[in-house]
Amino acid sequence: MKKVSRFFVVFYILAVAIAYYIILPPMNWHAPEFWEFAVFTLGPALVILILYSFAKRNIQLNGDNFVNNLFHRNRMQQVHLTKEDQLWAKVNKLCIVVLVVIFLFPFVSFALSSRLLHAKEYAQRIDVKDVGFNEIPEVDFTKTPIIDRDSSVRLGDKVMGNMTEWVSQFDVSNEYTQISYKDSVYRVTPLTYNGFIKYFKNRKEGIPAYITVDSTNGKTKLVKLKDLGLDGMKYVPSAYFNKKLTRHLRFSYPFEIFGSPSFEIDEKGHPWYICTTYTYKGVGNKKKVTGAIFLDPITGKSKKYDAGKIPKWADRVYPESMIVQELDDNGSLKNGFFNSVIGQDGVIVTSEGYNYLEKDGDIWLYTGITSANADESNIGFVLVNMRTHEAMRIKTAGANETSAMKSAESEVKNYGYQSTFPLLINIKGNPVYLMSLKDNGLIKMYATVSATDYQKVATVYSDEGLDALVKKTLNVLGTSDEISEESLKSATIKVSDVQRLNVEGNTLYYILADDGNAYKIAFSTKYENQLAFLKAGDTLKIRYIDADGVKTIKSIEEEKSVK
């Protein structure tokens, strides 16, 4: 019997060790995974011990005898128990207590630390400061991520397909982390092992490269580590056994709670995995970032940084889902939990998506904020630094992102293009949504929609460039991009010919004067009387700007005279 007992003890310890090696839970009571692992591994063992103790004591599992023997309430009966029986009675009680604890404690702790009881505490876990729109810098298209994630994936797959020596051995990861790199914005993603067999074949050399996609122009490059004087990446998520990234991290930091590693590169192009560490209030509630572990996938060496001391080149420490949840809590729970679900007085929430902005060398998550009624307007916008957790709210009322997307799509509805989720930009002090219009995943056009009036839309074909889009946007908004009063010229012209063209929904007038000069002007209701019936022989007194050989009329000062 003792040999059988020893066998089961050894078998159990081995089974638990294997389970830990596979599941990799943090040995931290705040983590729900810890309690799940305890129930999965310790629960069955406790049940077996309880049943075994009953068998050893020969207890009748019914009526008062069970209760009395279990809790030793019958003193007369306890006198007849042997020392071994008394030992097993204590084991029995201990096992029941532990079993109850591992099953009930996580639920009790979760309930006691929930939003229901600590609403204002949840609302305050992100500090959002109100700022003016000028906090968003004037748009710089060398730092504006116009290429979205879906397009980046297509570009990455295309460049990988050209690497014939690697395409059968490696795949491309779907990470595509948005980062600030070399004074611009990029998405970066590593290669991954193409299955178990390919891992064994290539494990000594490791992952040989990663892909960068310039988010401003779509230029894609496969960066070979050997060209940087580096060896291959061996500690990666797609590896197996002890080289698997999450397993290597867990063995190095058994008590840390961390999320999914994020692939980034530093300013020298060296690859890193950044793994955010957390803690909770109670078990699994009010998630809070405590720092980040930086792991070198080439050597396996790592270093933990506390929150607030993260190296500046890193970009993604606070994950998007957590930021959005914090913003929703901040906007909905400040007046209590019940108000957030019943009265909803003053409740605001984030809009249905997010995007990224580059600001001061950091990546900021951008999203709109709207009322809980989910109408078609935003009451402002929020920017959150994904490295430092700094948060800013801009109170600019206007159309929400979904309305802007529909407005842009309606401008080109004959093509059936689909809009990407917009990005808020600053054009000459105007809040404007910027988005791409795509056909079967390929960018065909760029569009801007005024964030304060979604009926003001400008579109250009992608090959025209974003500078052309800015000029067209300013015309639509009724402002000027490079004009000062001193740069405007005045003239009185006699119309020789006039042509009207519709360019992506905007009517342009091309006017030929009798002196041979050509002018153009976008139709505006302000000059409806002068332009609606304009014909040869009419006279106009205008102010215009002559830039790059194009004479653009900016104002018409007098009514036309009819010949």
Side-chain angles (χ1 to χ4, degrees), residues 25-43:
M27 294 294 103
N28 188 314
W29 73 270
H30 288 289
E33 297 85 357
F34 169 79
W35 296 100
E36 292 170 2
F37 182 75
V39 170
F40 175 72
T41 57
L42 193 57

PDB file of all heavy atoms in Angstrom, residues 25-43:
ATOM      1  N   PRO A  25       1.475  29.681 -15.145  1.00  0.00           N
ATOM      2  CA  PRO A  25       0.747  30.698 -14.378  1.00  0.00           C
ATOM      3  C   PRO A  25       1.701  31.495 -13.491  1.00  0.00           C
ATOM      4  O   PRO A  25       2.731  30.983 -13.041  1.00  0.00           O
ATOM      5  CB  PRO A  25      -0.198  29.861 -13.518  1.00  0.00           C
ATOM      6  CG  PRO A  25       0.569  28.599 -13.276  1.00  0.00           C
ATOM      7  CD  PRO A  25       1.330  28.336 -14.544  1.00  0.00           C
ATOM      8  N   PRO A  26       1.401  32.755 -13.201  1.00  0.00           N
ATOM      9  CA  PRO A  26       2.208  33.503 -12.235  1.00  0.00           C
ATOM     10  C   PRO A  26       1.904  33.033 -10.818  1.00  0.00           C
ATOM     11  O   PRO A  26       0.743  32.779 -10.479  1.00  0.00           O
ATOM     12  CB  PRO A  26       1.753  34.951 -12.450  1.00  0.00           C
ATOM     13  CG  PRO A  26       0.367  34.826 -12.981  1.00  0.00           C
ATOM     14  CD  PRO A  26       0.321  33.567 -13.788  1.00  0.00           C
ATOM     15  N   MET A  27       2.919  32.898 -10.019  1.00  0.00           N
ATOM     16  CA  MET A  27       2.723  32.527  -8.617  1.00  0.00           C
ATOM     17  C   MET A  27       2.419  33.782  -7.810  1.00  0.00           C
ATOM     18  O   MET A  27       3.185  34.215  -6.950  1.00  0.00           O
ATOM     19  CB  MET A  27       3.981  31.822  -8.081  1.00  0.00           C
ATOM     20  CG  MET A  27       4.258  30.486  -8.731  1.00  0.00           C
ATOM     21  SD  MET A  27       2.997  29.231  -8.350  1.00  0.00           S
ATOM     22  CE  MET A  27       2.042  29.197  -9.861  1.00  0.00           C
ATOM     23  N   ASN A  28       1.260  34.355  -8.122  1.00  0.00           N
ATOM     24  CA  ASN A  28       0.858  35.636  -7.530  1.00  0.00           C
ATOM     25  C   ASN A  28      -0.643  35.574  -7.267  1.00  0.00           C
ATOM     26  O   ASN A  28      -1.442  35.358  -8.186  1.00  0.00           O
ATOM     27  CB  ASN A  28       1.182  36.773  -8.507  1.00  0.00           C
ATOM     28  CG  ASN A  28       0.990  38.147  -7.907  1.00  0.00           C
ATOM     29  OD1 ASN A  28      -0.009  38.413  -7.258  1.00  0.00           O
ATOM     30  ND2 ASN A  28       1.949  39.031  -8.149  1.00  0.00           N
ATOM     31  N   TRP A  29      -1.044  35.771  -6.028  1.00  0.00           N
ATOM     32  CA  TRP A  29      -2.445  35.575  -5.667  1.00  0.00           C
ATOM     33  C   TRP A  29      -3.378  36.588  -6.308  1.00  0.00           C
ATOM     34  O   TRP A  29      -4.595  36.369  -6.376  1.00  0.00           O
ATOM     35  CB  TRP A  29      -2.622  35.597  -4.148  1.00  0.00           C
ATOM     36  CG  TRP A  29      -2.505  36.946  -3.496  1.00  0.00           C
ATOM     37  CD1 TRP A  29      -1.382  37.538  -3.020  1.00  0.00           C
ATOM     38  CD2 TRP A  29      -3.591  37.856  -3.248  1.00  0.00           C
ATOM     39  NE1 TRP A  29      -1.680  38.776  -2.489  1.00  0.00           N
ATOM     40  CE2 TRP A  29      -3.030  38.992  -2.616  1.00  0.00           C
ATOM     41  CE3 TRP A  29      -4.951  37.835  -3.501  1.00  0.00           C
ATOM     42  CZ2 TRP A  29      -3.784  40.083  -2.243  1.00  0.00           C
ATOM     43  CZ3 TRP A  29      -5.723  38.935  -3.130  1.00  0.00           C
ATOM     44  CH2 TRP A  29      -5.141  40.038  -2.497  1.00  0.00           C
ATOM     45  N   HIS A  30      -2.859  37.694  -6.818  1.00  0.00           N
ATOM     46  CA  HIS A  30      -3.708  38.673  -7.500  1.00  0.00           C
ATOM     47  C   HIS A  30      -4.165  38.183  -8.873  1.00  0.00           C
ATOM     48  O   HIS A  30      -5.137  38.712  -9.415  1.00  0.00           O
ATOM     49  CB  HIS A  30      -2.951  39.993  -7.679  1.00  0.00           C
ATOM     50  CG  HIS A  30      -2.749  40.760  -6.407  1.00  0.00           C
ATOM     51  ND1 HIS A  30      -3.772  41.401  -5.748  1.00  0.00           N
ATOM     52  CD2 HIS A  30      -1.634  40.982  -5.670  1.00  0.00           C
ATOM     53  CE1 HIS A  30      -3.304  41.990  -4.671  1.00  0.00           C
ATOM     54  NE2 HIS A  30      -2.003  41.746  -4.585  1.00  0.00           N
ATOM     55  N   ALA A  31      -3.457  37.211  -9.432  1.00  0.00           N
ATOM     56  CA  ALA A  31      -3.735  36.774 -10.797  1.00  0.00           C
ATOM     57  C   ALA A  31      -4.821  35.706 -10.833  1.00  0.00           C
ATOM     58  O   ALA A  31      -4.719  34.692 -10.137  1.00  0.00           O
ATOM     59  CB  ALA A  31      -2.456  36.245 -11.448  1.00  0.00           C
ATOM     60  N   PRO A  32      -5.850  35.873 -11.639  1.00  0.00           N
ATOM     61  CA  PRO A  32      -6.867  34.818 -11.782  1.00  0.00           C
ATOM     62  C   PRO A  32      -6.262  33.502 -12.261  1.00  0.00           C
ATOM     63  O   PRO A  32      -6.736  32.425 -11.877  1.00  0.00           O
ATOM     64  CB  PRO A  32      -7.829  35.406 -12.831  1.00  0.00           C
ATOM     65  CG  PRO A  32      -7.649  36.887 -12.741  1.00  0.00           C
ATOM     66  CD  PRO A  32      -6.203  37.076 -12.407  1.00  0.00           C
ATOM     67  N   GLU A  33      -5.206  33.575 -13.067  1.00  0.00           N
ATOM     68  CA  GLU A  33      -4.570  32.364 -13.590  1.00  0.00           C
ATOM     69  C   GLU A  33      -3.976  31.508 -12.470  1.00  0.00           C
ATOM     70  O   GLU A  33      -3.932  30.273 -12.585  1.00  0.00           O
ATOM     71  CB  GLU A  33      -3.474  32.727 -14.601  1.00  0.00           C
ATOM     72  CG  GLU A  33      -3.948  33.453 -15.837  1.00  0.00           C
ATOM     73  CD  GLU A  33      -4.073  34.954 -15.646  1.00  0.00           C
ATOM     74  OE1 GLU A  33      -3.845  35.443 -14.507  1.00  0.00           O
ATOM     75  OE2 GLU A  33      -4.402  35.644 -16.623  1.00  0.00           O
ATOM     76  N   PHE A  34      -3.526  32.156 -11.406  1.00  0.00           N
ATOM     77  CA  PHE A  34      -2.979  31.418 -10.271  1.00  0.00           C
ATOM     78  C   PHE A  34      -4.055  30.536  -9.640  1.00  0.00           C
ATOM     79  O   PHE A  34      -3.825  29.360  -9.328  1.00  0.00           O
ATOM     80  CB  PHE A  34      -2.412  32.397  -9.239  1.00  0.00           C
ATOM     81  CG  PHE A  34      -2.053  31.770  -7.918  1.00  0.00           C
ATOM     82  CD1 PHE A  34      -0.874  31.063  -7.776  1.00  0.00           C
ATOM     83  CD2 PHE A  34      -2.905  31.880  -6.821  1.00  0.00           C
ATOM     84  CE1 PHE A  34      -0.542  30.472  -6.552  1.00  0.00           C
ATOM     85  CE2 PHE A  34      -2.582  31.302  -5.607  1.00  0.00           C
ATOM     86  CZ  PHE A  34      -1.401  30.591  -5.480  1.00  0.00           C
ATOM     87  N   TRP A  35      -5.243  31.085  -9.440  1.00  0.00           N
ATOM     88  CA  TRP A  35      -6.330  30.336  -8.809  1.00  0.00           C
ATOM     89  C   TRP A  35      -6.893  29.268  -9.750  1.00  0.00           C
ATOM     90  O   TRP A  35      -7.294  28.190  -9.309  1.00  0.00           O
ATOM     91  CB  TRP A  35      -7.419  31.296  -8.349  1.00  0.00           C
ATOM     92  CG  TRP A  35      -6.910  32.221  -7.286  1.00  0.00           C
ATOM     93  CD1 TRP A  35      -6.501  33.506  -7.435  1.00  0.00           C
ATOM     94  CD2 TRP A  35      -6.710  31.892  -5.912  1.00  0.00           C
ATOM     95  NE1 TRP A  35      -6.059  34.023  -6.245  1.00  0.00           N
ATOM     96  CE2 TRP A  35      -6.186  33.049  -5.275  1.00  0.00           C
ATOM     97  CE3 TRP A  35      -6.932  30.758  -5.141  1.00  0.00           C
ATOM     98  CZ2 TRP A  35      -5.878  33.086  -3.927  1.00  0.00           C
ATOM     99  CZ3 TRP A  35      -6.622  30.794  -3.797  1.00  0.00           C
ATOM    100  CH2 TRP A  35      -6.110  31.947  -3.195  1.00  0.00           C
ATOM    101  N   GLU A  36      -6.915  29.562 -11.032  1.00  0.00           N
ATOM    102  CA  GLU A  36      -7.347  28.548 -11.995  1.00  0.00           C
ATOM    103  C   GLU A  36      -6.395  27.351 -11.978  1.00  0.00           C
ATOM    104  O   GLU A  36      -6.824  26.190 -12.036  1.00  0.00           O
ATOM    105  CB  GLU A  36      -7.399  29.167 -13.392  1.00  0.00           C
ATOM    106  CG  GLU A  36      -8.497  30.208 -13.562  1.00  0.00           C
ATOM    107  CD  GLU A  36      -8.367  30.967 -14.866  1.00  0.00           C
ATOM    108  OE1 GLU A  36      -7.442  30.646 -15.651  1.00  0.00           O
ATOM    109  OE2 GLU A  36      -9.178  31.884 -15.114  1.00  0.00           O
ATOM    110  N   PHE A  37      -5.100  27.652 -11.894  1.00  0.00           N
ATOM    111  CA  PHE A  37      -4.107  26.591 -11.839  1.00  0.00           C
ATOM    112  C   PHE A  37      -4.252  25.790 -10.542  1.00  0.00           C
ATOM    113  O   PHE A  37      -4.136  24.554 -10.539  1.00  0.00           O
ATOM    114  CB  PHE A  37      -2.704  27.185 -11.946  1.00  0.00           C
ATOM    115  CG  PHE A  37      -1.598  26.163 -11.952  1.00  0.00           C
ATOM    116  CD1 PHE A  37      -1.340  25.396 -13.073  1.00  0.00           C
ATOM    117  CD2 PHE A  37      -0.813  25.968 -10.816  1.00  0.00           C
ATOM    118  CE1 PHE A  37      -0.325  24.451 -13.085  1.00  0.00           C
ATOM    119  CE2 PHE A  37       0.209  25.030 -10.816  1.00  0.00           C
ATOM    120  CZ  PHE A  37       0.444  24.268 -11.955  1.00  0.00           C
ATOM    121  N   ALA A  38      -4.514  26.489  -9.437  1.00  0.00           N
ATOM    122  CA  ALA A  38      -4.687  25.814  -8.147  1.00  0.00           C
ATOM    123  C   ALA A  38      -5.896  24.871  -8.170  1.00  0.00           C
ATOM    124  O   ALA A  38      -5.829  23.736  -7.688  1.00  0.00           O
ATOM    125  CB  ALA A  38      -4.839  26.847  -7.036  1.00  0.00           C
ATOM    126  N   VAL A  39      -7.002  25.348  -8.738  1.00  0.00           N
ATOM    127  CA  VAL A  39      -8.193  24.500  -8.832  1.00  0.00           C
ATOM    128  C   VAL A  39      -7.928  23.302  -9.730  1.00  0.00           C
ATOM    129  O   VAL A  39      -8.314  22.161  -9.419  1.00  0.00           O
ATOM    130  CB  VAL A  39      -9.384  25.327  -9.359  1.00  0.00           C
ATOM    131  CG1 VAL A  39     -10.564  24.409  -9.695  1.00  0.00           C
ATOM    132  CG2 VAL A  39      -9.807  26.367  -8.330  1.00  0.00           C
ATOM    133  N   PHE A  40      -7.237  23.547 -10.830  1.00  0.00           N
ATOM    134  CA  PHE A  40      -6.973  22.491 -11.809  1.00  0.00           C
ATOM    135  C   PHE A  40      -6.027  21.414 -11.262  1.00  0.00           C
ATOM    136  O   PHE A  40      -6.196  20.219 -11.533  1.00  0.00           O
ATOM    137  CB  PHE A  40      -6.372  23.118 -13.064  1.00  0.00           C
ATOM    138  CG  PHE A  40      -5.945  22.129 -14.109  1.00  0.00           C
ATOM    139  CD1 PHE A  40      -6.877  21.426 -14.852  1.00  0.00           C
ATOM    140  CD2 PHE A  40      -4.592  21.887 -14.336  1.00  0.00           C
ATOM    141  CE1 PHE A  40      -6.476  20.501 -15.812  1.00  0.00           C
ATOM    142  CE2 PHE A  40      -4.178  20.969 -15.280  1.00  0.00           C
ATOM    143  CZ  PHE A  40      -5.126  20.271 -16.025  1.00  0.00           C
ATOM    144  N   THR A  41      -5.037  21.818 -10.496  1.00  0.00           N
ATOM    145  CA  THR A  41      -4.030  20.863 -10.021  1.00  0.00           C
ATOM    146  C   THR A  41      -4.255  20.412  -8.581  1.00  0.00           C
ATOM    147  O   THR A  41      -4.123  19.228  -8.266  1.00  0.00           O
ATOM    148  CB  THR A  41      -2.620  21.481 -10.122  1.00  0.00           C
ATOM    149  OG1 THR A  41      -2.579  22.705  -9.371  1.00  0.00           O
ATOM    150  CG2 THR A  41      -2.255  21.747 -11.571  1.00  0.00           C
ATOM    151  N   LEU A  42      -4.611  21.343  -7.699  1.00  0.00           N
ATOM    152  CA  LEU A  42      -4.743  21.021  -6.283  1.00  0.00           C
ATOM    153  C   LEU A  42      -6.132  20.465  -5.946  1.00  0.00           C
ATOM    154  O   LEU A  42      -6.256  19.602  -5.060  1.00  0.00           O
ATOM    155  CB  LEU A  42      -4.463  22.268  -5.442  1.00  0.00           C
ATOM    156  CG  LEU A  42      -4.244  22.072  -3.937  1.00  0.00           C
ATOM    157  CD1 LEU A  42      -3.105  21.095  -3.688  1.00  0.00           C
ATOM    158  CD2 LEU A  42      -3.952  23.419  -3.278  1.00  0.00           C
ATOM    159  N   GLY A  43      -7.148  20.942  -6.666  1.00  0.00           N
ATOM    160  CA  GLY A  43      -8.504  20.509  -6.371  1.00  0.00           C
ATOM    161  C   GLY A  43      -8.695  19.005  -6.430  1.00  0.00           C
ATOM    162  O   GLY A  43      -9.180  18.398  -5.459  1.00  0.00           O
TER     163      GLY A  43
END
